[in-house]
Amino acid sequence: MRRSAGAADPVLLAVVLGGLLMFPLFLSGLGGNATSWTLQTVIDVLDVWFAWNLMKHPDLPASGRRFWRACIAACGASAIGDAFQTISTYAGAGPQISVVQTGFVVTGMVIVVAATLRHPLGGEGRQRLRLWLDAATVLTGVAAFLWYFLLAGELSGQEAVDRWGAAATAVVMLLIAFGVLKLIFSGTAPFTRLAGMLGCLGLAGTALGASVAGVLFGDEVDPRVMYVVQLVPCVIILATLRLQLVQTRPADPARSHGVAQRPSVLPYLAVIATQLLVVYALRDGAPNLRTWGVAIGAVAITALVLGRQISATRDNELLVTELDGQREWFQALVQNASDMTVVVREDGRVEYASPATKRVLGTDPADLIGTWLPGRTHPDDRPRVDRHTEMLEANPGVGVHIQVRWRHADGTYRWLDVISTDMHHNPSIRGFVLNARDASETRALHDELERQATHDSLTGLANRMLLQRRIDEAASEPEPAAVSMLLIDLDGFKAINDQHGHHTGDQVLVMVAERLSGLLGAGEVAARLGGDEFAVLLPGTGAGEAAKLADRITTMLAEPMMINSRWLTVGASVGVASGGAGDGDRLLREADAAMYQRKHGRKAALP
């Protein structure tokens, strides 16, 4: 992850402190030519080390690794050249700079130019055009400063060798500045924007430091000042590399788009700096070669900014047209969509509701905005909605399904299939996006299929599967209570079927089911196991209470029934078993055994 405070890095602090200590070292006369070249060589070696660490960063893409590899070669060439000059100085070669040192340094600069120009350029189409205009604007400002402080003086009254050297230095500086600016504006740079600007400042100082010092201090500049002027830009480059190493962050594939979309202030700073340079150049009144060069640069940079603004205005017009088209397309889409879309804030209040709200909930979208959505949710569904919200927050950007009941305008509750997505990370939404469709018919079909699968089709009582499910639920309670089971078998039912037909027998079973249901309390389950056999599950009921209920059932079912204008009578043998909630199967077997024992006892008692 990126470290936000480079100033907290001890190595960076040491580099800055070392740069500050050079001022008293050289201005006091303690340091001389040999000390200057020694420090220069040490700085070059540290540049190589920092660039090596940047190149080895694990998250660096191949293009970035290639760039820093070139920087290692460039810094290494400068280190060889400066080391040669240092040895020559200690050997008494004098203050003149050797051809060897110059050759290695120029080689390093050429490597940097090639690396910046070869690095891939982000953006496309008009976006790339704006990038080129921005880079050209800043480059023109740099050229104006190079002309005023370096080229103009060197090209007037100097020897041909000096003129060619000055021109070559200016061209190399312009190429380096162009390459770095290209990377900064493109968003594909293997360095941060702050590090890139500091690096440009350091590179400019290495080429323009002596010329600027001549303008500020006169033609005869104190050598002690020149040592500082030559070393400070090198320290800035060293600090830049360390800052980049501190600020290095994982590569982001979308970074090029994000950076390119953010306007840069560099072109505007270049315009301001160039205009100030014009004012500075005209301080003596009479125009000269320097002044005319700066004036031409000011005109050029103004033309580039004007072109950039015309391009931006055209792009804005195209963007507005595109946005209007997208808005119309979106409105047409949501106006005719059958699904309802709702955006809900974190506090549960509706931020947006699509026109389908009227069809789904019978409520005008404008009336729904600002209301508290949980207030429309069925009370029984709110615990599930709370768990649903927790799942959403744990998986931002991922759609999560829930089926929930929302209140319709007519006061009834409608089942809806809802796909919810947490979009708080999107600055344009910052809420939960809910896409819902009416699922009332689907839910009704689902409930009917569920009822048919778990209930007896004739009596409406629970079937064996639902009874087993209730037994398992009782056993899964954190503190299972005692459970009793009643097993009921009708006496005399076969005779009714044989004498009056199966239709009458079915009506008898329905009447038995109604009487059973009327005797049970909350949580107690009556089930038809098949034929004329029934069961009753009594959670939390002991053996004594179960036996009393068995007697009441026996008495109730023995009462005559009016079926098809006939009084019919059946009896009931009821077996009782009690035990723990986890012994459901055993209780069924024991109740069944008790029921048959009681049935045999009743038969034996008959005359």
Side-chain angles (χ1 to χ4, degrees):
M1 296 299 294
R2 182 177 179 176
R3 293 170 60 179
S4 59
D9 180 61
V11 177
L12 183 59
L13 288 174
V15 171
V16 174
L17 181 61
L20 295 175
L21 290 177
M22 289 191 310
F23 285 87
L25 174 65
F26 288 100
L27 295 180
S28 65
L30 294 176
N33 189 41
T35 305
S36 173
W37 284 111
T38 301
L39 290 176
Q40 179 67 69
T41 303
V42 172
I43 291 173
D44 291 339
V45 173
L46 291 176
D47 287 341
V48 173
W49 173 248
F50 288 161
W52 174 269
N53 287 323
L54 286 168
M55 189 268 293
K56 299 297 288 183
H57 193 276
D59 295 315
L60 204 62
S63 58
R65 202 176 304 280
R66 184 171 58 248
F67 174 85
W68 289 115
R69 193 179 294 118
C71 289
I72 293 172
C75 295
S78 298
I80 293 173
D82 291 338
F84 179 86
Q85 186 67 32
T86 302
I87 295 172
S88 299
T89 301
Y90 280 108
Q96 293 81 11
I97 298 177
S98 69
V99 177
V100 175
Q101 190 272 347
T102 303
F104 275 105
V105 171
V106 170
T107 300
M109 296 179 72
V110 171
I111 292 174
V112 172
V113 170
T116 55
L117 295 180
R118 286 188 58 201
H119 199 78
L121 184 66
E124 57 184 14
R126 298 184 66 85
Q127 182 182 9
R128 182 170 291 189
L129 172 63
R130 293 194 301 271
L131 185 154
W132 284 110
L133 289 173
D134 286 343
T137 300
V138 180
L139 192 63
T140 303
V142 173
F145 275 81
L146 282 173
W147 171 264
Y148 186 82
F149 289 105
L150 180 63
L151 279 179
E154 297 290 345
L155 294 177
S156 59
Q158 299 294 326
E159 296 182 1
V161 175
D162 294 332
R163 290 198 299 269
W164 282 109
T169 302
V171 169
V172 172
M173 280 302 304
L174 285 174
L175 289 174
I176 293 177
F178 173 75
V180 174
L181 289 171
K182 182 197 78 169
L183 297 183
I184 291 176
F185 288 124
S186 69
T188 62
F191 45 76
T192 64
R193 181 165 292 191
L194 175 60
M197 290 188 292
L198 287 178
C200 283
L201 179 62
L203 290 171
T206 58
L208 300 178
S211 301
V212 173
V215 173
L216 297 177
F217 300 105
D219 294 334
E220 297 296 331
V221 183
D222 190 325
R224 295 176 297 180
V225 175
M226 289 303 300
Y227 294 144
V228 175
V229 170
Q230 292 170 355
L231 285 173
V232 166
C234 300
V235 174
I236 292 176
I237 294 176
L238 180 63
T240 298
L241 293 174
R242 182 60 193 181
L243 178 64
Q244 175 61 30
L245 190 59
V246 170
Q247 291 187 327
T248 297
R249 58 184 171 180
D252 184 2
R255 185 180 169 214
S256 59
H257 301 288
V259 176
Q261 293 171 356
R262 185 179 66 180
S264 173
V265 298
L266 283 179
Y268 304 101
L269 293 178
V271 172
I272 294 172
T274 304
Q275 300 299 333
L276 292 176
L277 182 60
V278 172
V279 175
Y280 180 79
L282 293 174
R283 71 190 188 284
D284 295 333
N288 52 31
L289 184 61
R290 281 184 172 180
T291 306
W292 280 112
V294 174
I296 293 173
V299 172
I301 203 171
T302 302
L304 287 169
V305 171
L306 181 61
R308 173 68 170 82
Q309 292 304 114
I310 293 174
S311 175
T313 301
R314 176 58 179 163
D315 289 344
N316 289 338
E317 292 175 353
L318 294 175
L319 181 61
V320 169
T321 302
E322 182 180 354
L323 289 176
D324 289 341
Q326 290 180 352
R327 186 180 298 110
E328 293 177 1
W329 179 84
F330 175 76
Q331 289 176 349
L333 185 66
V334 300
Q335 189 73 33
N336 299 285
S338 59
D339 291 1
M340 178 178 67
T341 300
V342 179
V343 178
V344 183
R345 295 196 300 263
E346 196 165 3
D347 60 0
R349 301 206 171 269
V350 178
E351 182 82 13
Y352 167 81
S354 68
T357 304
K358 184 70 174 177
R359 291 191 291 272
V360 176
L361 294 179
T363 301
D364 192 90
D367 296 335
L368 189 63
I369 295 175
T371 61
W372 192 53
L373 189 59
R376 283 186 168 271
T377 305
H378 194 285
D380 294 344
D381 294 343
R382 289 182 185 175
R384 288 193 301 112
V385 171
D386 292 339
R387 294 192 297 270
H388 177 75
T389 303
E390 293 175 0
M391 189 180 302
L392 278 176
E393 294 173 345
N395 300 276
V398 178
V400 181
H401 175 264
I402 187 175
Q403 200 167 74
V404 65
R405 285 168 288 184
W406 283 351
R407 189 175 64 252
H408 193 270
D410 60 10
T412 62
Y413 283 93
R414 304 291 177 89
W415 281 102
L416 283 90
D417 273 322
V418 182
I419 301 293
S420 307
T421 308
D422 185 359
M423 298 294 290
H424 282 88
H425 60 281
N426 189 323
S428 300
I429 300 177
R430 296 193 183 280
F432 298 103
V433 178
L434 281 60
N435 294 301
R437 65 174 55 187
D438 192 338
S440 299
E441 294 183 1
T442 305
R443 183 71 190 203
L445 177 61
H446 172 273
D447 291 344
E448 176 60 23
L449 292 175
E450 175 72 13
R451 192 196 67 79
Q452 291 179 10
T454 57
H455 289 75
D456 177 58
S457 59
L458 176 65
T459 62
L461 296 180
N463 60 14
R464 187 181 293 272
M465 183 175 69
L466 182 57
L467 178 66
Q468 185 62 50
R469 186 183 299 175
R470 294 291 182 263
I471 292 173
D472 295 339
E473 290 174 357
S476 64
E477 292 291 332
E479 297 181 1
V483 172
S484 292
M485 184 73 70
L486 307 183
L487 206 65
I488 305 164
D489 188 77
L490 299 182
D491 298 329
F493 178 73
K494 184 177 182 303
I496 292 176
N497 260 344
D498 293 342
Q499 295 177 17
H500 305 288
H502 290 286
H503 177 69
T504 300
D506 290 344
Q507 290 180 289
V508 170
L509 293 176
V510 171
M511 184 72 72
V512 169
E514 291 176 356
R515 292 183 177 183
L516 274 179
S517 300
L519 292 173
L520 302 183
E524 299 173 343
V525 181
R528 183 189 177 199
L529 301 183
D532 60 348
E533 192 174 49
F534 298 83
V536 177
L537 176 65
L538 304 173
T541 302
E545 292 295 325
K548 294 179 181 179
L549 179 61
D551 292 340
R552 291 171 57 195
I553 290 174
T554 302
T555 302
M556 176 69 71
L557 295 183
E559 295 179 0
M561 307 175 187
M562 175 62 71
I563 305 294
N564 294 331
S565 302
R566 298 189 186 90
W567 287 103
L568 300 176
T569 304
V570 294
S573 299
V574 183
V576 181
S578 299
D583 299 329
D585 293 337
R586 180 183 61 81
L587 293 179
L588 273 174
R589 291 194 300 272
E590 291 183 359
D592 185 65
M595 180 269 295
Y596 276 107
Q597 184 178 1
R598 187 162 184 175
K599 182 182 286 288
H600 292 321
R602 292 183 61 179
K603 288 182 179 180
L606 293 175

